[in-house]
């Protein structure tokens, strides 16, 4: 029984620890994590007993601060993120606790059960299961998968944390002033606790909406960064292509003056340089030539039919980035395929009606999992991957176009369309920029 | 039975193609008649005997495969062209002649099977359309009149309360008229979805084959612009992409 009594006394702390598990960045644990955790839990058990405070709210504040410090100390995250985790954990603990007490009070009021630590702990356990599963499913699962919380909105975290703290304090005052002997006690008690549950749920939703918005902004920053790096790569590739063209031109000159023996040598070099594409679009030529070489090394057939003129209005580095990402995705997929017959990339770029249509197809052994418009990578380190398709869609949408992919008969197909009118309206600007 | 033309100057390639066509016949229960030509000129000399599918070598001596394809396309838009090529770069201008696909030599079963299967699908769909013209017409009641509309000429259908507006392009005059009749969007969507219609909005059902351009916000049917509804966007764009990917066949 002492164990049950101890657990009963520490129900808030226990609830908080369970709820915290849903919101902490597990892959950012600090060194000596278990030791830190044990030390902080012990501190939270022992410290409040040895401090004598005149009012109840400083105890509440102390609990909150201790949980916040525990998260910050155990995980390598910002203090704001620790505050976010603490507030969310408090919300979940509050919801489960209020839910459990509503059930307990109503059942005992009608004489169905006797109030005891064991009964309460069992109901609390049930309430935790009922609340935590939906919270994980709707809110935190995505963040746990991403393994990083993009969160830096200080004012929202502080305000929501503060409001919640005050609401909890006010609700405890209200609850302590309810007359247990009054006829309306049961209704008042239930109404007050329902209000607390709703408020906690609202704060939780606010916190997550705020952080997911931040995630979108962060995603946008990544896409801009990737596009910028593609732009630099394009500049480099352009220079390389010019060197290849000059070398090819020189070889042709030498060829006309060379004897048979020299011509055999020159043939070999010219063939190696001859994997070049001419589509009436410089950026397209560069990206196709570059990727065709990579395909050749990877023993992948790269079959491409392309009308470069229909992409004339696009900025060159957008073409380079879009096609580069699309072909890279296909190469990555085919590099896992063993059957050499199936290592084929089929790219088709043409005008249809008033649209420029890009279609790229490749065999895929397994259908990729798509989530929020990105292919969920199967690689061990997910950071930095899965942005290819998002980047393609981002570029397509800049020109008012669409990008979509699907798998049919083990063939992955990516289809990008641009309205020609939108491309032409941008062709007034210098596309090379 | 479909007639396949092989135009290649290499005996070995023609032989491989014949073997693979034979394997395809066994595996896919299709029937083919195969004719071989050593050059573009030999093919042109027999131009009266129409083929359904052509396996065409790009690097032919004399008139090249690409030149031959351009010549063929001047009079025939139906024949399905699958190029066979020694060098993958030769495929680059295949869009000019609406080629169905390219096979890089030496011919491998996977690519061959994929493209021939697609070609047969296209031919079967065309046949189904031609044989079953009557089923591609729908019947609607306009007041006391009953009208028959060819589904290919319906640009889109709009719902206004309990009425449907069929925007129909007259195949003779090219003029678009709106035909009003009673009905619900759900019923017309069920009726027309098998013909390649999709909802872009709560009020509009669009004929995907009439779309001239599309942006992430709007659908363009020539001059007409329809908004894409947020809840319909993913499904609509998905159906549009699949339709476009197949249309190249």
């Amino acid at each position: 029984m002492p164990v049950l009594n101890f657990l009963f006394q520490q129900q808030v702390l226990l609830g908080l620890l369970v709820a915290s598990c849903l919101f902490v960045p597990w892959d950012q644990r600090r060194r000596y994590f278990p030791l830190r955790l044990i030390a902080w839990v012990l501190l939270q058990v022992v410290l409040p007993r040895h401090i004598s405070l005149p009012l109840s709210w400083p105890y509440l504040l102390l609990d909150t601060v201790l949980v916040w410090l525990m998260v910050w100390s155990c995980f390598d995250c910002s203090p704001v993120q620790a505050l976010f985790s603490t507030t969310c954990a408090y919300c979940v603990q509050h919801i489960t606790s209020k839910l459990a007490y509503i059930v307990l009070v109503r059942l005992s009021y009608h004489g169905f059960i006797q109030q005891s630590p064991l009964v309460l702990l069992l109901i609390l356990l049930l309430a935790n299961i009922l609340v935590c599963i939906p919270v994980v499913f709707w809110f935190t699962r995505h963040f746990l998968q991403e393994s990083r919380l993009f969160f830096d909105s200080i004012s929202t975290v502080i305000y929501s944390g503060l409001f919640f703290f005050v609401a909890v304090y006010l609700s405890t005052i209200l609850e302590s002033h309810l007359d247990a002997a009054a006829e309306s006690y049961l209704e008042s008690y239930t109404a007050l606790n329902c209000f607390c549950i709703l408020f906690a749920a609202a704060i939780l939703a606010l916190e997550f909406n705020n952080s997911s918005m931040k995630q979108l902004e962060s995603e946008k920053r990544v896409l801009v960064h990737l596009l910028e790096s593609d732009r630099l790569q394009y500049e480099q590739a352009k220079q390389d292509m010019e060197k290849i063209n000059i070398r090819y031109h020189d070889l042709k000159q030498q060829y006309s003056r060379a004897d048979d023996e020299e011509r055999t040598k020159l043939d070999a070099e010219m063939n190696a340089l001859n994997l070049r594409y001419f589509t009436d679009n410089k950026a397209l030529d560069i990206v196709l030539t570059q990727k065709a070489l990579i395909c050749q090394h990877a023993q992948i057939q790269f079959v491409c039919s392309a009308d470069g003129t229909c992409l004339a209005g696009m900025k060159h580095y957008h073409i380079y980035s879009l096609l580069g990402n699309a072909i890279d995705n296909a190469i990555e997929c085919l590099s896992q395929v063993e059957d050499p017959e199936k290592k084929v990339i089929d790219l088709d770029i043409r005008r249809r009606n008033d649209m420029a249509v890009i279609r790229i197809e490749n065999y895929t052994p397994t259908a990729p999992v798509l989530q929020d418009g990105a292919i969920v990578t199967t690689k061990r380190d997910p950071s930095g991957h899965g942005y290819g398709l998002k980047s393609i869609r981002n570029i397509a949408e800049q020109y008012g176009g669409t990008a979509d992919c699907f798998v049919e008969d083990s063939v992955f197909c990516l289809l990008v369309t641009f309205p020609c009118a939108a491309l032409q309206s941008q062709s007034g600007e210098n596309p090379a920029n | 039975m479909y007639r396949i033309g092989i135009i290649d100057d290499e005996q070995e390639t023609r032989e491989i193609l014949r073997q693979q066509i034979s394997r395809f016949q066994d595996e896919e229960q299709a029937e083919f008649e195969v004719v071989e030509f050593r050059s573009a000129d030999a093919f042109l000399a027999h131009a009266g005997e129409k083929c359904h599918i052509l396996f065409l070598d790009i690097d032919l001596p004399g008139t090249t495969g690409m030149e031959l394809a351009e010549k063929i396309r001047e009079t025939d838009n139906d024949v399905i062209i699958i190029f066979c090529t020694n060098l993958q770069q030769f495929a680059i201008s295949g869009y000019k002649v609406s080629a169905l696909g390219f096979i890089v030599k030496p011919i491998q079963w996977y690519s061959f099977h994929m493209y021939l299967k697609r070609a047969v699908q296209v031919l079967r769909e065309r046949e189904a359309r031609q044989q079953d013209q009557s089923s591609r017409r729908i019947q609607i009641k306009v007041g006391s009149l009953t009208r028959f509309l060819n589904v290919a000429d319906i640009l889109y259908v709009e719902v206004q309360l309990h009425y449907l507006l069929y925007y129909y392009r007259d195949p003779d005059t090219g003029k678009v008229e709106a035909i009003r009749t009673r009905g619900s969007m759900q019923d017309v969507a069920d009726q027309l979805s098998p013909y390649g219609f999709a909802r872009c909005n709560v009020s509009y059902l669009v004929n995907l084959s009439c779309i001239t351009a599309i942006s992430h916000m709007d659908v363009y049917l020539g001059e007409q612009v329809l908004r894409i509804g947020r809840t319909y966007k993913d499904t609509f764009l998905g159906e549009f992409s699949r339709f476009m990917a197949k249309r190249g066949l």
Side-chain angles (χ1 to χ4, degrees):
Chain A
M1 288 316 273
V3 177
L4 274 182
N5 282 331
F6 175 75
L7 291 176
F8 179 72
Q9 282 163 12
Q10 298 297 332
Q11 57 177 287
V12 176
L13 179 63
L14 279 172
L16 270 174
L17 289 175
V18 170
S20 300
C21 295
L22 308 181
F23 303 101
V24 288
W26 280 106
D27 63 338
Q28 295 173 49
R29 294 191 295 275
R30 289 188 196 268
R31 278 175 75 189
Y32 311 119
F33 171 76
L35 287 179
R36 285 168 188 263
L37 186 67
I38 291 165
W40 277 105
V41 171
L42 285 176
L43 192 68
Q44 287 179 79
V45 173
V46 176
L47 192 64
R49 291 185 179 190
H50 292 84
I51 295 177
S52 168
L53 295 166
L55 292 165
S56 64
W57 70 264
Y59 278 110
L60 198 63
L61 186 64
L62 182 68
D63 279 349
T64 315
V65 171
L66 284 177
V67 174
W68 173 59
L69 288 173
M70 177 186 76
V71 175
W72 191 21
S73 148
C74 293
F75 297 93
D76 184 16
C77 62
S78 67
V80 179
Q81 190 174 331
L83 186 56
F84 164 80
S85 303
T86 310
T87 310
C88 291
Y90 249 111
C91 287
V92 169
Q93 185 276 332
H94 203 62
I95 293 170
T96 49
S97 162
K98 293 294 173 190
L99 198 63
Y101 271 95
I102 289 175
V103 173
L104 184 78
V105 168
R106 288 195 85 94
L107 289 180
S108 64
Y109 188 85
H110 293 297
F112 293 122
I113 53 166
Q114 292 281 319
Q115 281 200 27
S116 73
L118 180 65
V119 171
L120 175 76
L121 287 171
L122 283 174
I123 295 177
L124 265 175
L125 184 69
L126 195 67
N128 261 297
I129 294 169
L130 281 175
V131 173
C132 289
I133 290 174
V135 167
V136 169
F137 190 76
W138 279 314
F139 290 123
T140 60
R141 193 173 57 135
H142 184 64
F143 290 95
L144 291 175
Q145 275 174 358
E146 290 284 317
S147 77
R148 266 182 79 83
L149 264 177
F150 297 92
F151 199 90
D152 55 9
S153 172
I154 296 168
S155 57
T156 309
V157 181
I158 292 176
Y159 285 140
S160 53
L162 193 67
F163 287 165
F164 187 63
F165 175 78
V166 173
V168 171
Y169 176 64
L170 291 176
S171 74
T172 54
I173 294 176
L174 261 176
E175 197 178 317
S176 65
H177 284 81
L178 285 180
D179 180 5
E183 256 184 52
S184 61
Y185 174 73
L186 200 59
E187 278 70 34
S188 310
Y189 184 83
T190 309
L192 175 65
N193 283 311
C194 283
F195 177 79
C196 290
I197 290 172
L198 287 176
F199 193 82
I203 292 287
L204 201 60
L206 178 76
E207 292 277 22
F208 267 88
N209 277 338
N210 184 58
S211 67
S212 63
M213 265 154 57
K214 282 287 149 197
Q215 191 186 9
L216 284 180
E217 280 171 23
S218 155
E219 200 172 280
K220 206 174 163 186
R221 278 202 298 276
V222 174
L223 289 177
V224 168
H225 175 73
L226 287 176
L227 194 60
E228 176 59 20
S229 99
D230 281 346
R231 193 180 68 80
L232 295 174
Q233 268 189 41
Y234 171 67
E235 291 302 325
Q236 184 58 47
K238 198 161 73 173
Q239 286 173 14
D240 293 347
M241 186 79 176
E242 269 159 24
K243 279 182 199 159
I244 290 175
N245 285 339
I246 291 168
R247 180 71 188 143
Y248 192 79
H249 181 75
D250 289 350
L251 287 174
K252 265 179 91 178
Q253 298 270 315
Q254 282 181 38
Y255 196 85
S256 59
R257 295 190 297 265
D259 58 30
D260 283 352
E261 196 183 332
E262 283 171 338
R263 281 188 176 187
T264 322
K265 282 182 192 167
L266 291 173
D267 270 337
E269 196 179 346
M270 280 168 80
N271 281 339
L273 291 181
N274 211 8
L275 203 65
R276 293 178 302 161
Y277 285 85
F278 300 98
T279 63
D280 292 330
N281 185 309
K282 199 174 168 186
L284 194 57
D285 295 348
I286 290 171
V287 70
L288 294 182
T289 304
Q290 197 182 46
K291 299 302 173 189
L293 268 170
I294 297 172
C295 286
Q296 196 184 41
H297 289 307
Q299 291 176 324
I300 293 170
Q301 275 182 28
F302 179 63
V303 183
C304 166
S305 152
D307 177 4
T309 58
C310 67
L311 303 178
M314 277 179 83
K315 283 189 167 59
H316 280 179
Y317 70 94
H318 281 158
I319 296 174
Y320 181 82
S321 175
L322 191 148
L323 267 305
N325 273 315
I327 301 167
D328 283 345
N329 274 350
I331 294 173
E332 191 187 314
C333 177
L334 290 177
S335 61
Q336 294 160 18
V337 175
E338 282 178 11
D339 186 350
E341 279 198 17
K342 292 175 177 167
K343 291 187 166 207
V344 183
I345 298 173
D346 182 3
L347 173 66
D348 186 274
I349 303 172
R350 65 175 76 180
R351 193 186 301 267
R352 282 189 204 160
N353 296 330
D354 298 329
M355 280 174 283
V357 182
I358 300 171
R359 178 175 55 87
I360 180 163
E361 288 182 348
N362 61 276
Y363 169 79
T364 177
T366 48
V369 182
L370 296 171
Q371 191 179 38
D372 299 335
I375 297 170
V376 177
T377 180
T378 48
K379 289 183 178 173
R380 279 188 175 178
D381 170 23
S383 59
H385 297 297
Y387 276 96
L389 195 57
K390 279 187 182 173
S391 174
I392 290 168
R393 186 164 285 147
N394 188 36
I395 294 171
E397 289 184 356
Q398 280 189 45
Y399 293 89
T402 63
D404 199 50
C405 59
F406 57 89
V407 176
E408 218 168 70
D409 293 339
S410 297
V411 174
F412 176 84
C413 176
L414 168 70
L415 197 105
V416 186
T417 68
F418 297 101
C420 288
L423 290 184
Q424 278 155 13
S425 70
Q426 302 213 15
S427 64
E429 302 164 28
N430 181 8
N433 290 329
Chain B
M1 171 165 334
Y2 299 121
R3 194 178 159 88
I4 298 179
I6 300 172
I7 308 159
D8 202 304
D9 59 321
E10 293 165 17
Q11 165 74 29
E12 196 191 335
T13 308
R14 296 203 300 271
E15 193 50 45
I16 292 171
L17 279 170
R18 260 191 189 277
Q19 284 168 7
Q20 299 208 336
I21 290 168
S22 165
R23 181 177 165 189
F24 189 95
Q25 288 191 122
D26 296 341
E27 289 186 11
E28 303 285 338
Q29 278 85 45
E31 264 191 83
F32 301 114
E33 181 196 345
V34 184
V35 279
E36 291 180 21
F37 305 94
R38 286 180 184 189
S39 68
D41 296 330
F43 172 78
L44 289 170
H46 291 82
E49 301 166 33
K50 276 210 159 188
C51 291
H52 296 98
I53 301 164
L54 290 181
F55 283 96
L56 182 50
D57 181 20
I58 296 186
D59 196 18
L60 286 172
T63 308
T64 67
M66 198 59 80
E67 287 164 352
L68 175 61
E70 283 172 18
K71 216 173 258 183
I72 292 169
R73 282 286 178 250
E74 285 171 11
T75 54
D76 185 355
N77 277 321
D78 291 339
V79 63
I80 293 169
I81 297 173
I82 301 167
F83 281 115
C84 303
T85 170
N86 287 312
L87 269 181
Q88 59 188 41
Q89 292 103 300
F90 288 165
I92 198 72
S93 50
Y95 67 91
K96 288 181 185 163
V97 291
S98 303
L100 180 131
F102 297 86
I103 304 174
V104 179
K105 292 180 189 176
I107 292 162
Q108 308 273 6
W109 171 248
Y110 173 76
S111 298
F112 172 84
H113 175 261
M114 184 173 75
Y115 289 126
L116 187 54
K117 197 174 171 186
R118 287 184 185 183
V120 170
Q121 260 174 15
V122 174
L123 291 170
R124 283 183 180 157
E125 278 173 25
R126 276 186 203 161
E127 267 176 11
R129 244 178 283 153
Q130 279 163 4
Q131 283 174 5
D132 209 7
Q133 265 306 343
S134 60
S135 76
R136 298 188 67 81
R137 280 150 67 97
I138 57 160
Q139 184 182 331
I140 57 169
K141 285 219 165 205
V142 188
S144 56
L145 282 172
T146 300
R147 284 191 65 169
F148 290 94
L149 302 182
N150 196 349
V151 286
D153 296 316
I154 300 170
L155 294 179
Y156 66 100
V157 185
E158 181 182 358
V159 66
Q160 284 181 357
L161 292 172
H162 300 295
Y163 288 92
L164 295 170
L165 283 164
Y166 289 81
Y167 289 86
Y168 183 72
R169 183 188 281 134
D170 191 299
D172 301 323
T173 61
K175 279 190 180 171
V176 178
E177 59 170 324
I179 303 166
R180 191 163 179 262
T181 177
R182 273 188 86 85
S184 76
M185 177 51 92
Q186 195 54 51
D187 291 344
V188 76
D190 289 346
Q191 186 185 19
L192 292 178
S193 295
Y195 300 109
F197 281 67
R199 282 174 87 170
C200 70
N201 190 311
V202 69
S203 318
Y204 298 113
L205 182 74
V206 182
N207 187 345
L208 295 174
S209 65
C210 292
I211 293 173
T212 51
I214 198 161
S215 72
H216 61 286
M217 299 282 282
D218 301 304
V219 180
Y220 298 82
L221 301 146
E223 301 280 296
Q224 186 69 44
V225 184
L226 307 178
R227 202 111 273 236
I228 300 174
R230 213 201 292 185
T231 46
Y232 292 85
K233 189 175 173 180
D234 287 347
T235 334
F236 179 73
L237 292 181
E239 286 190 43
F240 169 74
S241 297
R242 280 167 191 259
F243 179 81
M244 287 301 283
K246 280 190 179 152
R247 229 177 96 169
L249 302 183

